[in-house]
Amino acid sequence: MKVVYHPRYQEVYDTDPAAAAGRMESILKEVSPHFELVTPEPASVDDIKLVHSEEHIAYVKREGAPYEIALLAAGGAIKAAALAMGGEPAFGLIRPPGHHASPDSCWGFCFFNNVAISIVRLMREGRIERAAILDIDLHFGDGTDNTFRNVPEVIYCHPEGVSNEHFVNSVSAFLRDAKADVIAVSAGFDRHERDWGGLLKTEDYRTIGKMVKEFAQRVCQGRRFGVLEGGYNHDVLGMNVKALLDGMS
Ligand SMILES: [Zn+2]
């Protein structure tokens, strides 16, 4: 398991909780002693255009500070996907997040859809035909759903559950029948019992990570990667990311 990370992800590019000071540091502290860090390149504008309109790109550019970091975040997802395709599971420890970014619009602390860009790029390169995206963030990834609504080769799943057990079972049900050449996890941690969603235990992230690993080994030659989406309680975020990575490793 490699962790894709760039020091510029620590920059406070906005006033939202995803961009808060100390957030990336709280994760880095837990994962950097255990996993090798890999540095990404920024995505090119052509990469961003795989998913987003020129109007949307121009809009983000006008936002100023987030633009450059958003290119670097998309580049981080592309790097994680490339590592996964090469047989090395990977996690993009990136921000800003991406799953609320649609082709023509964005909200919810997102600018460009990191995971969608990485998947479309693999498809355009002819390296995969199908992909599965498992989004465990508290919030529905409307941007990812909008991107792939008319693309039957990419299945997007945002499981729900009234209890942590029910949620894990929903993940399991999705993975039982999914077909893919690679699996990507839109890894938000805001459903944790000490975060906004108040549902999942740290151990559940380890369980989900293991299920993703088993799925990948059974279905798609082990190809698996994740990218960071939400997660806002800096006291528990690091250990939750570590638990998911331990499971996926
Ligand atoms: Zn969220």
Side-chain angles (χ1 to χ4, degrees):
M1 168 68 71
K2 293 206 165 114
V3 171
V4 180
Y5 179 76
H6 197 288
R8 290 203 67 190
Y9 296 145
Q10 291 187 14
E11 286 181 27
V12 178
Y13 52 83
D14 212 331
T15 55
D16 67 57
R23 180 168 177 256
M24 301 308 272
E25 292 85 335
S26 73
I27 304 171
L28 203 58
K29 191 176 65 168
E30 294 290 334
V31 303
S32 63
H34 306 282
F35 300 102
E36 185 189 333
L37 299 184
V38 179
T39 309
E41 301 292 321
S44 68
V45 174
D46 283 341
D47 292 327
I48 305 298
K49 280 186 192 164
L50 293 170
V51 166
H52 297 285
S53 66
E54 294 200 23
E55 292 73 17
H56 179 68
I57 296 168
Y59 161 76
V60 178
K61 214 168 179 175
R62 286 197 298 275
E63 292 287 292
Y67 178 70
E68 275 186 36
I69 312 290
L71 289 180
L72 205 48
I78 289 168
K79 181 82 182 173
L83 286 164
M85 292 304 293
E88 175 85 45
F91 183 77
L93 178 50
I94 61 178
R95 74 176 186 186
H99 72 156
H100 296 307
S102 290
D104 288 310
S105 62
C106 61
W107 70 288
F109 327 144
C110 298
F111 299 93
F112 298 137
N113 196 313
N114 306 313
V115 77
I117 290 164
S118 69
I119 292 295
V120 173
R121 192 170 134 152
L122 291 178
M123 293 177 90
R124 291 290 170 82
E125 288 172 340
R127 301 187 70 192
I128 59 167
E129 287 177 5
R130 296 163 170 273
I133 301 173
L134 172 65
D135 187 338
I136 58 170
D137 193 273
L138 171 62
H139 305 97
F140 180 68
D142 56 322
T144 312
D145 185 55
N146 286 335
T147 303
F148 296 115
R149 185 166 294 164
N150 299 314
V151 183
E153 294 82 9
V154 180
I155 33 171
Y156 172 76
C157 174
H158 182 258
E160 289 286 355
V162 291
S163 67
N164 67 319
E165 225 171 47
H166 187 208
F167 183 88
V168 171
N169 287 341
S170 302
V171 174
S172 171
F174 168 65
L175 295 177
R176 196 159 43 231
D177 300 321
K179 292 185 175 59
D181 300 317
V182 66
I183 180 165
V185 184
S186 250
F189 296 87
D190 41 2
R191 207 183 278 269
H192 186 254
E193 59 186 352
R194 289 181 58 197
D195 209 307
W196 296 352
L199 192 76
L200 295 182
K201 297 184 182 308
T202 299
E203 202 48 38
D204 295 325
Y205 291 105
R206 194 181 321 273
T207 303
I208 292 166
K210 268 188 204 156
M211 287 160 55
V212 168
K213 176 185 176 179
E214 283 161 15
F215 169 85
Q217 289 179 333
R218 177 169 58 83
V219 171
C220 52
Q221 302 165 53
R223 295 160 172 174
R224 59 197 184 273
F225 71 100
V227 297
L228 183 66
E229 300 284 0
Y232 305 105
N233 182 345
H234 300 185
D235 293 341
V236 292
L237 186 53
M239 69 178 184
N240 291 335
V241 173
K242 168 80 165 35
L244 180 78
L245 300 197
D246 281 344
M248 282 180 74
S249 292

